mmCIF file of all heavy atoms in Angstrom:
data_model
loop_
_atom_site.group_PDB
_atom_site.id
_atom_site.type_symbol
_atom_site.label_atom_id
_atom_site.label_comp_id
_atom_site.label_asym_id
_atom_site.label_seq_id
_atom_site.Cartn_x
_atom_site.Cartn_y
_atom_site.Cartn_z
ATOM 1 N N VAL A 84 0.985 5.739 13.200
ATOM 2 C CA VAL A 84 0.229 6.335 14.264
ATOM 3 C C VAL A 84 -1.009 5.489 14.536
ATOM 4 O O VAL A 84 -1.724 5.152 13.611
ATOM 5 C CB VAL A 84 -0.148 7.791 13.947
ATOM 6 C CG1 VAL A 84 -1.042 8.392 15.046
ATOM 7 C CG2 VAL A 84 1.101 8.641 13.766
ATOM 8 N N GLU A 85 -1.253 5.167 15.805
ATOM 9 C CA GLU A 85 -2.459 4.442 16.178
ATOM 10 C C GLU A 85 -3.522 5.492 16.488
ATOM 11 O O GLU A 85 -3.317 6.399 17.267
ATOM 12 C CB GLU A 85 -2.194 3.598 17.426
ATOM 13 C CG GLU A 85 -3.391 2.772 17.850
ATOM 14 C CD GLU A 85 -3.112 1.863 19.053
ATOM 15 O OE1 GLU A 85 -2.052 2.072 19.726
ATOM 16 O OE2 GLU A 85 -3.908 0.987 19.291
ATOM 17 N N VAL A 86 -4.681 5.363 15.818
ATOM 18 C CA VAL A 86 -5.777 6.301 16.002
ATOM 19 C C VAL A 86 -7.047 5.572 16.369
ATOM 20 O O VAL A 86 -7.259 4.414 15.976
ATOM 21 C CB VAL A 86 -6.033 7.183 14.744
ATOM 22 C CG1 VAL A 86 -4.849 8.051 14.443
ATOM 23 C CG2 VAL A 86 -6.383 6.346 13.540
ATOM 24 N N GLY A 87 -7.930 6.272 17.074
ATOM 25 C CA GLY A 87 -9.218 5.718 17.448
ATOM 26 C C GLY A 87 -9.111 4.632 18.509
ATOM 27 O O GLY A 87 -8.045 4.351 19.014
ATOM 28 N N GLY A 88 -10.258 4.090 18.826
ATOM 29 C CA GLY A 88 -10.290 2.990 19.776
ATOM 30 C C GLY A 88 -10.084 3.419 21.222
ATOM 31 O O GLY A 88 -9.903 4.590 21.517
ATOM 32 N N PHE A 89 -10.127 2.419 22.065
ATOM 33 C CA PHE A 89 -9.946 2.642 23.491
ATOM 34 C C PHE A 89 -9.036 1.537 23.997
ATOM 35 O O PHE A 89 -9.340 0.340 23.799
ATOM 36 C CB PHE A 89 -11.273 2.630 24.229
ATOM 37 C CG PHE A 89 -11.157 2.812 25.710
ATOM 38 C CD1 PHE A 89 -10.780 4.029 26.254
ATOM 39 C CD2 PHE A 89 -11.382 1.758 26.579
ATOM 40 C CE1 PHE A 89 -10.631 4.215 27.616
ATOM 41 C CE2 PHE A 89 -11.249 1.907 27.939
ATOM 42 C CZ PHE A 89 -10.870 3.140 28.456
ATOM 43 N N ILE A 90 -7.916 1.897 24.603
ATOM 44 C CA ILE A 90 -6.863 0.955 25.043
ATOM 45 C C ILE A 90 -6.551 -0.094 24.015
ATOM 46 O O ILE A 90 -6.446 -1.280 24.293
ATOM 47 C CB ILE A 90 -7.173 0.349 26.434
ATOM 48 C CG1 ILE A 90 -8.477 -0.422 26.442
ATOM 49 C CG2 ILE A 90 -7.145 1.374 27.522
ATOM 50 C CD1 ILE A 90 -8.721 -1.245 27.725
ATOM 51 N N GLY A 91 -6.448 0.342 22.753
ATOM 52 C CA GLY A 91 -6.041 -0.531 21.683
ATOM 53 C C GLY A 91 -7.164 -1.325 21.005
ATOM 54 O O GLY A 91 -6.960 -1.967 20.004
ATOM 55 N N ILE A 92 -8.381 -1.235 21.535
ATOM 56 C CA ILE A 92 -9.506 -1.966 20.942
ATOM 57 C C ILE A 92 -10.217 -1.015 19.989
ATOM 58 O O ILE A 92 -10.643 0.049 20.391
ATOM 59 C CB ILE A 92 -10.449 -2.494 22.034
ATOM 60 C CG1 ILE A 92 -9.691 -3.442 22.961
ATOM 61 C CG2 ILE A 92 -11.669 -3.179 21.421
ATOM 62 C CD1 ILE A 92 -10.455 -3.814 24.205
ATOM 63 N N GLY A 93 -10.405 -1.479 18.752
ATOM 64 C CA GLY A 93 -11.090 -0.653 17.761
ATOM 65 C C GLY A 93 -10.236 0.403 17.121
ATOM 66 O O GLY A 93 -10.729 1.241 16.368
ATOM 67 N N SER A 94 -8.953 0.392 17.371
ATOM 68 C CA SER A 94 -8.058 1.370 16.778
ATOM 69 C C SER A 94 -7.473 0.832 15.460
ATOM 70 O O SER A 94 -7.647 -0.352 15.151
ATOM 71 C CB SER A 94 -6.920 1.711 17.730
ATOM 72 O OG SER A 94 -6.129 0.564 17.985
ATOM 73 N N LYS A 95 -6.837 1.705 14.706
ATOM 74 C CA LYS A 95 -6.117 1.265 13.499
ATOM 75 C C LYS A 95 -4.846 2.070 13.384
ATOM 76 O O LYS A 95 -4.666 3.098 14.042
ATOM 77 C CB LYS A 95 -7.004 1.418 12.263
ATOM 78 C CG LYS A 95 -7.189 2.866 11.754
ATOM 79 C CD LYS A 95 -7.936 2.855 10.454
ATOM 80 C CE LYS A 95 -8.030 4.238 9.854
ATOM 81 N NZ LYS A 95 -8.715 4.225 8.566
ATOM 82 N N TYR A 96 -3.955 1.582 12.542
ATOM 83 C CA TYR A 96 -2.692 2.246 12.287
ATOM 84 C C TYR A 96 -2.758 2.957 10.933
ATOM 85 O O TYR A 96 -3.286 2.429 9.982
ATOM 86 C CB TYR A 96 -1.537 1.245 12.266
ATOM 87 C CG TYR A 96 -1.378 0.467 13.523
ATOM 88 C CD1 TYR A 96 -1.415 -0.914 13.525
ATOM 89 C CD2 TYR A 96 -1.197 1.110 14.760
ATOM 90 C CE1 TYR A 96 -1.241 -1.636 14.710
ATOM 91 C CE2 TYR A 96 -1.071 0.397 15.927
ATOM 92 C CZ TYR A 96 -1.080 -0.965 15.878
ATOM 93 O OH TYR A 96 -0.932 -1.675 17.056
ATOM 94 N N VAL A 97 -2.220 4.174 10.915
ATOM 95 C CA VAL A 97 -2.088 4.919 9.677
ATOM 96 C C VAL A 97 -0.646 5.392 9.544
ATOM 97 O O VAL A 97 0.043 5.612 10.541
ATOM 98 C CB VAL A 97 -3.084 6.135 9.609
ATOM 99 C CG1 VAL A 97 -4.517 5.619 9.599
ATOM 100 C CG2 VAL A 97 -2.859 7.118 10.735
ATOM 101 N N ALA A 98 -0.202 5.541 8.325
ATOM 102 C CA ALA A 98 1.168 5.979 8.037
ATOM 103 C C ALA A 98 1.178 7.475 7.733
ATOM 104 O O ALA A 98 0.462 7.932 6.843
ATOM 105 C CB ALA A 98 1.744 5.201 6.889
ATOM 106 N N ILE A 99 1.959 8.218 8.500
ATOM 107 C CA ILE A 99 2.077 9.650 8.341
ATOM 108 C C ILE A 99 3.523 9.970 7.980
ATOM 109 O O ILE A 99 4.448 9.537 8.655
ATOM 110 C CB ILE A 99 1.730 10.387 9.671
ATOM 111 C CG1 ILE A 99 0.357 9.962 10.187
ATOM 112 C CG2 ILE A 99 1.821 11.889 9.460
ATOM 113 C CD1 ILE A 99 -0.807 10.389 9.373
ATOM 114 N N PRO A 100 3.751 10.694 6.891
ATOM 115 C CA PRO A 100 5.136 11.084 6.552
ATOM 116 C C PRO A 100 5.800 11.815 7.729
ATOM 117 O O PRO A 100 5.202 12.734 8.304
ATOM 118 C CB PRO A 100 4.963 12.015 5.344
ATOM 119 C CG PRO A 100 3.664 11.603 4.732
ATOM 120 C CD PRO A 100 2.797 11.231 5.898
ATOM 121 N N ALA A 101 6.954 11.381 8.076
ATOM 122 C CA ALA A 101 7.662 11.917 9.247
ATOM 123 C C ALA A 101 7.895 13.410 9.126
ATOM 124 O O ALA A 101 7.871 14.141 10.143
ATOM 125 C CB ALA A 101 8.992 11.199 9.418
ATOM 126 N N ARG A 102 8.052 13.933 7.928
ATOM 127 C CA ARG A 102 8.334 15.367 7.744
ATOM 128 C C ARG A 102 7.191 16.272 8.171
ATOM 129 O O ARG A 102 7.364 17.454 8.348
ATOM 130 C CB ARG A 102 8.725 15.663 6.283
ATOM 131 C CG ARG A 102 7.624 15.367 5.295
ATOM 132 C CD ARG A 102 8.059 15.623 3.868
ATOM 133 N NE ARG A 102 7.265 14.952 2.889
ATOM 134 C CZ ARG A 102 5.946 15.135 2.683
ATOM 135 N NH1 ARG A 102 5.312 16.018 3.396
ATOM 136 N NH2 ARG A 102 5.301 14.461 1.771
ATOM 137 N N LEU A 103 5.994 15.705 8.366
ATOM 138 C CA LEU A 103 4.848 16.511 8.764
ATOM 139 C C LEU A 103 4.796 16.825 10.269
ATOM 140 O O LEU A 103 4.069 17.694 10.698
ATOM 141 C CB LEU A 103 3.538 15.806 8.372
ATOM 142 C CG LEU A 103 3.335 15.594 6.884
ATOM 143 C CD1 LEU A 103 2.015 14.878 6.653
ATOM 144 C CD2 LEU A 103 3.402 16.889 6.132
ATOM 145 N N PHE A 104 5.592 16.128 11.057
ATOM 146 C CA PHE A 104 5.587 16.301 12.492
ATOM 147 C C PHE A 104 6.428 17.483 12.935
ATOM 148 O O PHE A 104 7.410 17.815 12.293
ATOM 149 C CB PHE A 104 6.079 15.045 13.207
ATOM 150 C CG PHE A 104 5.109 13.916 13.115
ATOM 151 C CD1 PHE A 104 5.168 13.032 12.034
ATOM 152 C CD2 PHE A 104 4.168 13.720 14.117
ATOM 153 C CE1 PHE A 104 4.263 11.988 11.953
ATOM 154 C CE2 PHE A 104 3.256 12.678 14.031
ATOM 155 C CZ PHE A 104 3.337 11.784 12.953
ATOM 156 N N LYS A 105 6.026 18.108 14.029
ATOM 157 C CA LYS A 105 6.790 19.180 14.639
ATOM 158 C C LYS A 105 7.130 18.764 16.074
ATOM 159 O O LYS A 105 6.488 17.872 16.619
ATOM 160 C CB LYS A 105 5.959 20.485 14.677
ATOM 161 C CG LYS A 105 5.461 20.956 13.323
ATOM 162 C CD LYS A 105 6.593 21.361 12.435
ATOM 163 C CE LYS A 105 6.069 21.839 11.099
ATOM 164 N NZ LYS A 105 6.899 21.523 9.987
ATOM 165 N N GLU A 106 8.075 19.417 16.644
ATOM 166 C CA GLU A 106 8.493 19.103 18.011
ATOM 167 C C GLU A 106 7.355 19.413 18.985
ATOM 168 O O GLU A 106 6.732 20.445 18.911
ATOM 169 C CB GLU A 106 9.743 19.879 18.369
ATOM 170 C CG GLU A 106 10.290 19.519 19.726
ATOM 171 C CD GLU A 106 11.617 20.194 19.974
ATOM 172 O OE1 GLU A 106 12.272 20.647 19.030
ATOM 173 O OE2 GLU A 106 12.001 20.265 21.152
ATOM 174 N N GLY A 107 7.126 18.499 19.902
ATOM 175 C CA GLY A 107 6.137 18.694 20.954
ATOM 176 C C GLY A 107 6.847 18.902 22.287
ATOM 177 O O GLY A 107 8.035 19.178 22.334
ATOM 178 N N VAL A 108 6.091 18.770 23.356
ATOM 179 C CA VAL A 108 6.674 18.905 24.686
ATOM 180 C C VAL A 108 6.565 17.537 25.364
ATOM 181 O O VAL A 108 5.664 16.749 25.101
ATOM 182 C CB VAL A 108 5.936 19.960 25.535
ATOM 183 C CG1 VAL A 108 6.154 21.345 24.922
ATOM 184 C CG2 VAL A 108 4.460 19.692 25.637
ATOM 185 N N LYS A 109 7.486 17.313 26.297
ATOM 186 C CA LYS A 109 7.560 16.038 27.017
ATOM 187 C C LYS A 109 7.483 14.869 26.070
ATOM 188 O O LYS A 109 8.213 14.814 25.110
ATOM 189 C CB LYS A 109 6.506 16.002 28.108
ATOM 190 C CG LYS A 109 6.708 17.069 29.173
ATOM 191 C CD LYS A 109 5.791 16.881 30.334
ATOM 192 C CE LYS A 109 6.021 17.981 31.344
ATOM 193 N NZ LYS A 109 5.215 17.857 32.505
ATOM 194 N N GLN A 110 6.601 13.901 26.331
ATOM 195 C CA GLN A 110 6.495 12.709 25.502
ATOM 196 C C GLN A 110 5.429 12.912 24.433
ATOM 197 O O GLN A 110 4.482 12.132 24.339
ATOM 198 C CB GLN A 110 6.130 11.494 26.385
ATOM 199 C CG GLN A 110 7.283 10.941 27.168
ATOM 200 C CD GLN A 110 8.394 10.389 26.299
ATOM 201 O OE1 GLN A 110 9.486 10.901 26.239
ATOM 202 N NE2 GLN A 110 8.106 9.293 25.619
ATOM 203 N N SER A 111 5.555 13.948 23.609
ATOM 204 C CA SER A 111 4.564 14.196 22.584
ATOM 205 C C SER A 111 5.216 14.798 21.343
ATOM 206 O O SER A 111 6.331 15.282 21.394
ATOM 207 C CB SER A 111 3.483 15.132 23.090
ATOM 208 O OG SER A 111 3.979 16.445 23.238
ATOM 209 N N VAL A 112 4.474 14.714 20.250
ATOM 210 C CA VAL A 112 4.842 15.372 19.008
ATOM 211 C C VAL A 112 3.603 16.092 18.488
ATOM 212 O O VAL A 112 2.478 15.790 18.869
ATOM 213 C CB VAL A 112 5.387 14.387 17.934
ATOM 214 C CG1 VAL A 112 6.712 13.804 18.371
ATOM 215 C CG2 VAL A 112 4.373 13.304 17.619
ATOM 216 N N LEU A 113 3.823 17.054 17.628
ATOM 217 C CA LEU A 113 2.738 17.864 17.098
ATOM 218 C C LEU A 113 2.544 17.527 15.626
ATOM 219 O O LEU A 113 3.508 17.479 14.876
ATOM 220 C CB LEU A 113 3.088 19.354 17.273
ATOM 221 C CG LEU A 113 2.095 20.369 16.760
ATOM 222 C CD1 LEU A 113 0.787 20.268 17.569
ATOM 223 C CD2 LEU A 113 2.672 21.759 16.859
ATOM 224 N N LEU A 114 1.278 17.309 15.238
ATOM 225 C CA LEU A 114 0.932 17.079 13.863
ATOM 226 C C LEU A 114 -0.059 18.180 13.470
ATOM 227 O O LEU A 114 -1.288 18.019 13.633
ATOM 228 C CB LEU A 114 0.317 15.691 13.674
ATOM 229 C CG LEU A 114 0.029 15.240 12.239
ATOM 230 C CD1 LEU A 114 1.282 15.295 11.372
ATOM 231 C CD2 LEU A 114 -0.533 13.835 12.246
ATOM 232 N N PRO A 115 0.465 19.309 12.996
ATOM 233 C CA PRO A 115 -0.400 20.480 12.722
ATOM 234 C C PRO A 115 -1.509 20.163 11.743
ATOM 235 O O PRO A 115 -1.319 19.448 10.769
ATOM 236 C CB PRO A 115 0.572 21.505 12.128
ATOM 237 C CG PRO A 115 1.916 21.108 12.609
ATOM 238 C CD PRO A 115 1.852 19.587 12.685
ATOM 239 N N GLY A 116 -2.697 20.661 12.054
ATOM 240 C CA GLY A 116 -3.846 20.509 11.165
ATOM 241 C C GLY A 116 -4.537 19.183 11.190
ATOM 242 O O GLY A 116 -5.520 18.994 10.507
ATOM 243 N N ALA A 117 -4.041 18.241 11.972
ATOM 244 C CA ALA A 117 -4.640 16.907 11.996
ATOM 245 C C ALA A 117 -5.852 16.877 12.946
ATOM 246 O O ALA A 117 -5.930 17.645 13.886
ATOM 247 C CB ALA A 117 -3.631 15.881 12.459
ATOM 248 N N SER A 118 -6.756 15.946 12.663
ATOM 249 C CA SER A 118 -7.823 15.677 13.604
ATOM 250 C C SER A 118 -7.951 14.165 13.659
ATOM 251 O O SER A 118 -7.585 13.459 12.693
ATOM 252 C CB SER A 118 -9.160 16.296 13.191
ATOM 253 O OG SER A 118 -9.683 15.624 12.088
ATOM 254 N N GLU A 119 -8.478 13.659 14.743
ATOM 255 C CA GLU A 119 -8.639 12.215 14.861
ATOM 256 C C GLU A 119 -9.589 11.709 13.758
ATOM 257 O O GLU A 119 -9.375 10.657 13.154
ATOM 258 C CB GLU A 119 -9.174 11.828 16.264
ATOM 259 C CG GLU A 119 -9.203 10.331 16.475
ATOM 260 C CD GLU A 119 -9.576 9.927 17.873
ATOM 261 O OE1 GLU A 119 -9.679 10.821 18.754
ATOM 262 O OE2 GLU A 119 -9.775 8.741 18.083
ATOM 263 N N ALA A 120 -10.648 12.486 13.480
ATOM 264 C CA ALA A 120 -11.594 12.090 12.426
ATOM 265 C C ALA A 120 -10.934 11.976 11.044
ATOM 266 O O ALA A 120 -11.167 11.029 10.325
ATOM 267 C CB ALA A 120 -12.744 13.085 12.381
ATOM 268 N N GLU A 121 -10.060 12.935 10.726
ATOM 269 C CA GLU A 121 -9.319 12.889 9.438
ATOM 270 C C GLU A 121 -8.386 11.698 9.397
ATOM 271 O O GLU A 121 -8.296 10.999 8.391
ATOM 272 C CB GLU A 121 -8.520 14.158 9.224
ATOM 273 C CG GLU A 121 -9.387 15.373 8.930
ATOM 274 C CD GLU A 121 -8.573 16.649 8.929
ATOM 275 O OE1 GLU A 121 -7.482 16.678 9.527
ATOM 276 O OE2 GLU A 121 -9.036 17.621 8.339
ATOM 277 N N LEU A 122 -7.700 11.415 10.500
ATOM 278 C CA LEU A 122 -6.778 10.287 10.526
ATOM 279 C C LEU A 122 -7.531 8.962 10.409
ATOM 280 O O LEU A 122 -7.056 8.022 9.747
ATOM 281 C CB LEU A 122 -5.940 10.304 11.816
ATOM 282 C CG LEU A 122 -4.981 11.489 11.945
ATOM 283 C CD1 LEU A 122 -4.213 11.400 13.259
ATOM 284 C CD2 LEU A 122 -4.015 11.570 10.778
ATOM 285 N N LYS A 123 -8.718 8.882 10.999
ATOM 286 C CA LYS A 123 -9.500 7.658 10.903
ATOM 287 C C LYS A 123 -9.952 7.386 9.468
ATOM 288 O O LYS A 123 -10.188 6.239 9.091
ATOM 289 C CB LYS A 123 -10.732 7.734 11.801
ATOM 290 C CG LYS A 123 -10.401 7.563 13.269
ATOM 291 C CD LYS A 123 -11.703 7.672 14.069
ATOM 292 C CE LYS A 123 -11.472 7.529 15.555
ATOM 293 N NZ LYS A 123 -12.732 7.616 16.293
ATOM 294 N N LYS A 124 -10.070 8.438 8.648
ATOM 295 C CA LYS A 124 -10.482 8.302 7.258
ATOM 296 C C LYS A 124 -9.377 7.733 6.375
ATOM 297 O O LYS A 124 -9.623 7.269 5.274
ATOM 298 C CB LYS A 124 -10.951 9.627 6.691
ATOM 299 C CG LYS A 124 -12.257 10.137 7.259
ATOM 300 C CD LYS A 124 -12.602 11.491 6.659
ATOM 301 C CE LYS A 124 -13.785 12.134 7.337
ATOM 302 N NZ LYS A 124 -14.038 13.465 6.804
ATOM 303 N N MET A 125 -8.147 7.796 6.853
ATOM 304 C CA MET A 125 -6.996 7.314 6.062
ATOM 305 C C MET A 125 -7.054 5.806 5.924
ATOM 306 O O MET A 125 -7.584 5.109 6.788
ATOM 307 C CB MET A 125 -5.683 7.729 6.736
ATOM 308 C CG MET A 125 -5.448 9.223 6.751
ATOM 309 S SD MET A 125 -3.885 9.639 7.543
ATOM 310 C CE MET A 125 -2.710 8.903 6.419
ATOM 311 N N PRO A 126 -6.474 5.292 4.835
ATOM 312 C CA PRO A 126 -6.411 3.835 4.708
ATOM 313 C C PRO A 126 -5.525 3.240 5.779
ATOM 314 O O PRO A 126 -4.557 3.862 6.198
ATOM 315 C CB PRO A 126 -5.810 3.632 3.301
ATOM 316 C CG PRO A 126 -5.143 4.915 2.960
ATOM 317 C CD PRO A 126 -5.843 5.991 3.731
ATOM 318 N N PRO A 127 -5.883 2.054 6.239
ATOM 319 C CA PRO A 127 -5.063 1.454 7.300
ATOM 320 C C PRO A 127 -3.682 1.089 6.774
ATOM 321 O O PRO A 127 -3.538 0.691 5.620
ATOM 322 C CB PRO A 127 -5.863 0.221 7.712
ATOM 323 C CG PRO A 127 -6.730 -0.092 6.572
ATOM 324 C CD PRO A 127 -7.007 1.225 5.890
ATOM 325 N N PHE A 128 -2.702 1.183 7.629
ATOM 326 C CA PHE A 128 -1.339 0.773 7.285
ATOM 327 C C PHE A 128 -1.222 -0.716 7.590
ATOM 328 O O PHE A 128 -1.678 -1.184 8.613
ATOM 329 C CB PHE A 128 -0.314 1.544 8.118
ATOM 330 C CG PHE A 128 1.090 1.035 7.915
ATOM 331 C CD1 PHE A 128 1.821 1.468 6.839
ATOM 332 C CD2 PHE A 128 1.669 0.151 8.801
ATOM 333 C CE1 PHE A 128 3.127 0.993 6.624
ATOM 334 C CE2 PHE A 128 2.950 -0.306 8.615
ATOM 335 C CZ PHE A 128 3.680 0.094 7.522
#
Side-chain angles (χ1 to χ4, degrees):
V84 176
E85 183 177 15
V86 296
F89 179 70
I90 59 171
I92 300 170
S94 62
K95 74 174 186 178
Y96 301 124
V97 296
I99 307 292
R102 63 182 160 63
L103 298 180
F104 289 88
K105 304 294 181 215
E106 185 173 341
V108 295
K109 296 189 180 181
Q110 284 296 112
S111 72
V112 293
L113 180 65
L114 186 56
S118 73
E119 187 174 353
E121 289 171 339
L122 294 180
K123 285 181 181 180
K124 292 177 187 176
M125 294 180 66
F128 174 81

